[in-house]
């Protein structure tokens, strides 16, 4: 490809609305343009990267026995009514009407469509397992589209769905997809971790997220420094700490005027956050509970909802807090608290002594508090978010915390959709049974952004070779010198003949701006052809992201490039 024929409008300045590096570099490098919030045009360079990613996905999934299909983006409401999600899916679902007034949506995901397809034609146990996937544009009206391609409203997803005769077979399909995902992300050149993920309030099934490690990631994950354990902090179980015996401190009510947050009270009383017990008043369906969490810890609402057997818990409204504690928000405490259905505490609160709790009265706290001596807990459980420094739940190691970008998700669905939509098969004895499903997503456009978050420097993108838009860029530095132009042209042809993807910067630009754009665009290999070097039959070769510049004889350029690519 010649740069003069490539629509890659590079920019000198960062776009104003870009918070993360991948967004800045994709816009500046001429890869994407914004049409509307969370909706982007993919320019030629971006499309080349996306096709590389898709190629890797296709190879690995085909290898794992999955088959590619392409399903409609526009879906009728009827199938969503059947699954029950027409009512449940909130405003993220983009709904619309056709000319006859029929309800439709833009597919945010395709469980309904795929189940409808499979239930019609797959009837016998002999036809199973079956695993179908597609690579397609999804639409989700995200409440906060952000970070360019990272969280778009329109984005490209690979979604796959497996159908099996029973749990054991479905688990085998899951395992197969799990390992295919590992191969896909490795081949894309990403540093990632598969982490255990939340499976929703009902639980019981399996789910893993594939997280690309990057500081700009939205997800918090922990991984053991000793064994392979890794989990989203929402999911990570924590082992029960050893209970401490013996109390220090005497119970005392203290005035804490005008301070209410843990930080403020901690400063005021000069006690560390670990010495505090936070009392959260929560609403679970119609019940109000008090939940006790150590001051430096964070409540995990998913664990709490599971414990209480409800789909969601929320912080109680201010007037509920006032009613059950007798004080405004900020002073709730477990001592003398009797307006709640139960007092539930995280394991870490068990045996705390010389602690600080809210006083259930305005501007008032208790110090010197001993759990079990000064108040009673109805139930202890693992209720908090994991964090760096926590003990590993699987071994004697320690958890370390990371930020991650979720690029893939594998989920054991069971019979949720097949039962709701009657996607049944006949087993060997002729009995009708629901198929057991798994679903598997990959954020194709998000991978493009995640790869940049992980691979860039101050000058631009540093593509992993496997997903780079081109392998090598040729920079003839003086377009007015025939020798330079001719040498570039013959290298261009030679490399193309050797099967290398080459971008020839044949623009009549200054050498400086060619170098700048090459760094920005991030092609892995760069060959600079200048008249001075050519006099000695030499060109300059450089690997993007490395400082070293190699002087190569013209004749050995193709070999050097092929060597680097292997
Ligand atoms: P998230 O928690 O990030 O919203 P999700 O659980 O909604 O993700 P899935 O429904 O499992 O995501 O979608 C499969 C994959 O699609 C995700 O792992 C992610 O890589 C990608 N993805 C999801 N939402 C978006 C989005 N708004 N923009 C780009 N990619 C997305
Ligand atoms: Mg989402």
């Amino acid at each position: 490809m010649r740069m003069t024929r490539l629509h890659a409008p590079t920019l000198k300045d960062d776009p104003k609305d870009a918070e993360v590096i991948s967004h800045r570099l994709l816009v500046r490098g001429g890869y994407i343009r914004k049409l509307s919030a969370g909706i982007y045009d993919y320019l030629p360079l971006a499309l080349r990267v996306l096709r590389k990613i898709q190629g890797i996905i296709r190879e690995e999934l085909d290898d794992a026995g999955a088959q590619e299909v392409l399903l409609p983006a526009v879906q009728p409401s009827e199938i969503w009514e059947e699954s029950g999600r027409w009512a449940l899916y909130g405003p993220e679902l983009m709904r619309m009407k056709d000319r006859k007034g029929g309800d439709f949506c833009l597919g945010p995901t395709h469980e309904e469509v795929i189940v409808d397809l499979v239930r019609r034609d797959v009837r016998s146990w002999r036809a199973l397992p079956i695993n179908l996937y597609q690579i397609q544009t999804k639409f989700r009206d995200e409440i906060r589209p952000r970070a360019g391609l990272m969280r778009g409203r329109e984005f490209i997803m690979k979604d796959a769905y497996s159908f099996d005769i029973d749990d054991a077979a479905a688990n085998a399909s899951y395992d197969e997809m799990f390992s295919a995902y590992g191969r896909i992300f490795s081949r894309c050149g990403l540093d990632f971790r598969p982490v255990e993920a939340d499976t929703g309030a009902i639980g019981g099934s399996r789910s893993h997220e594939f997280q690309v490690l990057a500081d700009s990631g939205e997800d918090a994950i922990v991984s053991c420094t000793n064994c392979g354990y890794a989990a989203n902090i929402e999911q990570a179980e924590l082992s029960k700490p050893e209970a401490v015996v013996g109390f220090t401190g005497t119970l005392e009510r203290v005035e804490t005027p005008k301070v209410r947050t843990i930080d403020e009270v901690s400063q005021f009383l000069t006690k560390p956050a670990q010495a505090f017990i936070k009392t959260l008043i929560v609403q679970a369906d119609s019940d109000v509970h008090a939940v006790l969490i150590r001051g430096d810890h964070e409540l995990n609402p998913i664990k709490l909802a599971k414990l209480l057997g409800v789909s969601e818990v929320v912080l109680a409204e201010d007037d509920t807090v006032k009613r059950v504690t007798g004080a405004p928000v900020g002073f709730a405490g477990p001592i003398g608290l009797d307006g709640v259905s139960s007092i539930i505490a995280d394991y870490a609160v068990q045996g705390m002594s010389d602690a600080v709790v809210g006083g259930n009265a305005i501007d008032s706290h208790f110090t010197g508090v001993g759990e079990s001596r000064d108040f009673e807990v109805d139930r202890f459980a693992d209720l908090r978010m994991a964090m760096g420094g926590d003990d590993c739940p699987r071994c004697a190691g320690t958890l370390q915390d990371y930020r991650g970008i979720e690029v893939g998700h594998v989920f054991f669905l069971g019979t949720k959709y097949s039962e709701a939509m009657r996607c049944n098969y006949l087993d060997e004895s002729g009995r009708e049974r629901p198929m057991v499903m798994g679903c598997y997503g990959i954020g194709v456009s998000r991978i493009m952004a995640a790869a940049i978050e992980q691979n860039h420097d101050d000058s631009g993108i540093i593509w992993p070779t496997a997903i780079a838009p081109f392998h090598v860029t040729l920079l003839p530095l003086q377009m007015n010198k025939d020798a330079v132009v001719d040498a570039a042209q013959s290298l261009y042809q030679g490399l193309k003949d050797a099967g290398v993807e080459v971008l020839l910067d044949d623009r009549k630009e200054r050498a400086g701006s060619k170098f700048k754009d090459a760094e920005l665009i991030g092609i892995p290999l760069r060959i600079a052809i200048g008249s001075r070097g050519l006099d000695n039959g030499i060109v300059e070769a450089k690997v993007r992201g490395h400082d070293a510049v190699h002087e190569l004889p013209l004749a050995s350029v193709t070999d050097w490039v092929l060597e680097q690519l292997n």
Side-chain angles (χ1 to χ4, degrees):
M1 172 68 74
R2 289 168 188 279
M3 196 80 162
T4 48
R5 311 300 299 271
L6 178 71
H7 184 54
T10 54
L11 304 175
K12 284 208 178 58
D13 297 316
D14 285 336
K16 283 197 189 65
D17 62 341
E19 323 137 41
V20 297
I21 191 76
S22 60
H23 187 189
R24 291 206 286 271
L25 293 177
L26 284 168
V27 173
R28 280 186 47 211
Y31 285 81
I32 61 169
R33 287 293 181 263
K34 180 162 106 179
L35 177 63
S36 181
I39 303 179
Y40 290 88
D41 306 314
Y42 302 114
L43 277 56
L45 284 173
L47 193 58
R48 291 183 72 98
V49 174
L50 291 170
R51 291 216 168 112
K52 293 271 173 81
I53 298 168
Q54 293 167 4
I56 293 171
I57 293 174
R58 287 194 170 100
E59 277 177 29
E60 293 298 337
L61 292 190
D62 292 349
D63 233 30
Q67 304 169 65
E68 187 170 0
V69 292
L70 184 56
L71 305 169
V74 174
Q75 309 181 9
S77 63
E78 285 80 9
I79 51 177
W80 287 75
E81 299 277 8
E82 271 191 75
S83 71
R85 286 208 290 187
W86 190 254
L88 287 178
Y89 221 105
E92 236 180 63
L93 187 65
M94 186 84 156
R95 299 162 208 249
M96 59 205 177
K97 286 196 190 293
D98 71 359
R99 64 168 77 203
K100 294 189 190 128
D103 285 309
F104 289 82
C105 65
L106 285 179
T109 177
H110 278 70
E111 280 82 6
E112 283 80 1
V113 175
I114 201 88
V115 168
D116 178 63
L117 175 74
V118 168
R119 70 179 170 182
R120 277 188 275 169
D121 302 309
V122 181
R123 302 293 302 145
S124 158
W125 63 275
R126 284 192 194 83
L128 298 176
I130 184 168
N131 186 334
L132 301 172
Y133 75 94
Q134 63 171 340
I135 296 176
Q136 193 215 28
T137 299
K138 296 279 190 271
F139 196 94
R140 296 181 180 178
D141 199 359
E142 299 272 358
I143 183 165
R144 261 182 293 281
R146 61 173 286 274
L149 299 187
M150 212 92 92
R151 182 168 296 282
R153 293 197 295 164
E154 185 176 297
F155 58 99
I156 301 172
M157 197 203 284
K158 185 284 302 174
D159 46 328
Y161 307 87
S162 63
F163 296 81
D164 277 280
I165 56 165
D166 58 19
D167 280 9
N171 270 308
S173 294
Y174 183 100
D175 292 339
E176 202 156 10
M177 291 300 273
F178 183 92
S179 26
Y181 270 42
R183 292 192 296 274
I184 289 167
F185 299 123
S186 298
R187 283 184 59 188
C188 287
L190 299 169
D191 181 13
F192 68 96
R193 296 267 191 296
V195 308
E196 293 184 10
D198 174 47
T199 52
I202 310 305
S205 47
R206 299 163 75 195
S207 168
H208 287 89
E209 291 163 357
F210 286 76
Q211 296 276 0
V212 163
L213 306 182
D215 292 338
S216 59
E218 284 186 348
D219 290 321
I221 61 181
V222 284
S223 109
C224 177
T225 51
N226 185 44
C227 71
Y229 180 77
N232 196 302
I233 60 158
E234 293 175 344
Q235 170 69 13
E237 326 129 44
L238 293 168
S239 39
K240 191 175 164 175
E242 308 228 339
V244 194
V245 273
F247 293 106
T248 57
T250 31
L251 185 66
E252 198 182 341
R253 189 186 274 278
V254 294
E255 294 292 303
T256 49
K258 296 203 184 78
V259 289
R260 21 179 109 205
T261 65
I262 296 276
D263 269 358
E264 289 165 355
V265 186
S266 158
Q267 259 186 7
F268 181 81
L269 296 175
T270 60
K271 283 185 182 288
Q274 294 97 285
F276 284 70
I277 300 173
K278 291 190 267 201
T279 304
L280 304 166
I281 306 297
V282 302
Q283 186 95 39
D285 292 345
S286 58
D287 293 333
V288 177
H289 302 271
V291 181
L292 310 184
I293 302 286
R294 205 172 79 185
D296 57 328
H297 290 158
E298 204 187 324
L299 171 70
N300 182 334
I302 297 172
K303 287 181 180 174
L304 181 62
K306 272 186 196 164
L307 182 82
L308 295 173
V310 296
S311 60
E312 198 188 24
V313 283
V314 291
L315 286 179
E317 300 284 342
D318 290 5
D319 49 343
T320 308
V321 174
K322 202 154 186 190
R323 178 168 52 78
V324 300
T325 68
V329 173
F331 301 100
I335 298 175
L337 183 67
D338 45 22
V340 292
S341 301
S342 75
I343 298 182
I344 310 167
D346 178 63
Y347 284 139
V349 170
Q350 195 156 24
M352 273 180 79
S353 89
D354 199 14
V356 183
V357 302
N360 292 329
I362 191 158
D363 295 342
S364 166
H365 281 77
F366 283 110
T367 56
V369 178
E371 181 276 314
S372 81
R373 186 192 65 187
D374 301 321
F375 64 91
E376 219 173 296
V377 169
D378 297 305
R379 227 164 149 187
F380 287 98
D382 169 19
L383 289 178
R384 68 178 176 92
M385 300 280 190
M387 56 188 205
D390 279 334
D391 293 338
C392 174
R394 296 288 156 80
C395 77
T398 305
L399 298 179
Q400 195 175 341
D401 52 348
Y402 298 92
R403 303 296 301 180
I405 302 167
E406 180 195 319
V407 290
H409 195 177
V410 293
F411 203 99
F412 186 97
L413 277 176
T415 55
K416 179 175 167 187
Y417 292 93
S418 43
E419 278 188 49
M421 297 180 66
R422 289 194 288 144
C423 179
N424 298 331
Y425 71 98
L426 297 174
D427 70 10
E428 265 179 279
S429 60
R431 212 154 37 110
E432 191 151 290
R433 286 160 168 265
M435 296 184 201
V436 185
M437 291 178 61
C439 68
Y440 317 92
I442 290 183
V444 177
S445 43
R446 189 181 277 183
I447 288 179
M448 177 153 72
I452 297 173
E453 292 295 327
Q454 239 175 25
N455 302 283
H456 64 267
D457 61 15
D458 290 343
S459 316
I461 303 170
I462 308 175
W463 286 113
T465 303
I467 62 172
F470 292 93
H471 296 135
V472 51
T473 182
L474 297 180
L475 310 186
L477 300 179
Q478 299 90 11
M479 288 302 289
N480 53 354
K481 299 249 161 77
D482 287 347
V484 171
V485 174
D486 292 348
Q489 177 59 34
S490 83
L491 281 178
Y492 179 56
Q493 197 56 49
L495 285 164
K496 281 207 304 183
D497 291 346
V500 177
E501 296 170 23
V502 200
L503 178 63
L504 169 63
D505 191 349
D506 57 345
R507 296 174 301 168
K508 293 194 168 67
E509 294 279 341
R510 285 181 304 109
S513 60
K514 287 192 180 186
F515 281 124
K516 258 215 164 83
D517 277 349
E519 305 252 284
L520 177 61
I521 290 171
I523 292 165
L525 304 175
R526 182 187 88 193
I527 311 287
I529 304 131
S531 54
R532 220 175 320 145
L534 270 191
D535 289 343
N536 303 313
I538 296 283
V539 296
E540 286 186 346
K542 188 172 172 296
V543 179
R544 180 74 181 92
H546 293 253
D547 291 335
V549 176
H550 311 275
E551 299 209 320
L552 296 181
L554 260 181
S556 62
V557 169
T558 304
D559 284 346
W560 181 83
V561 168
L562 291 174
E563 205 175 291
Q564 297 298 316
L565 293 178
N566 283 324

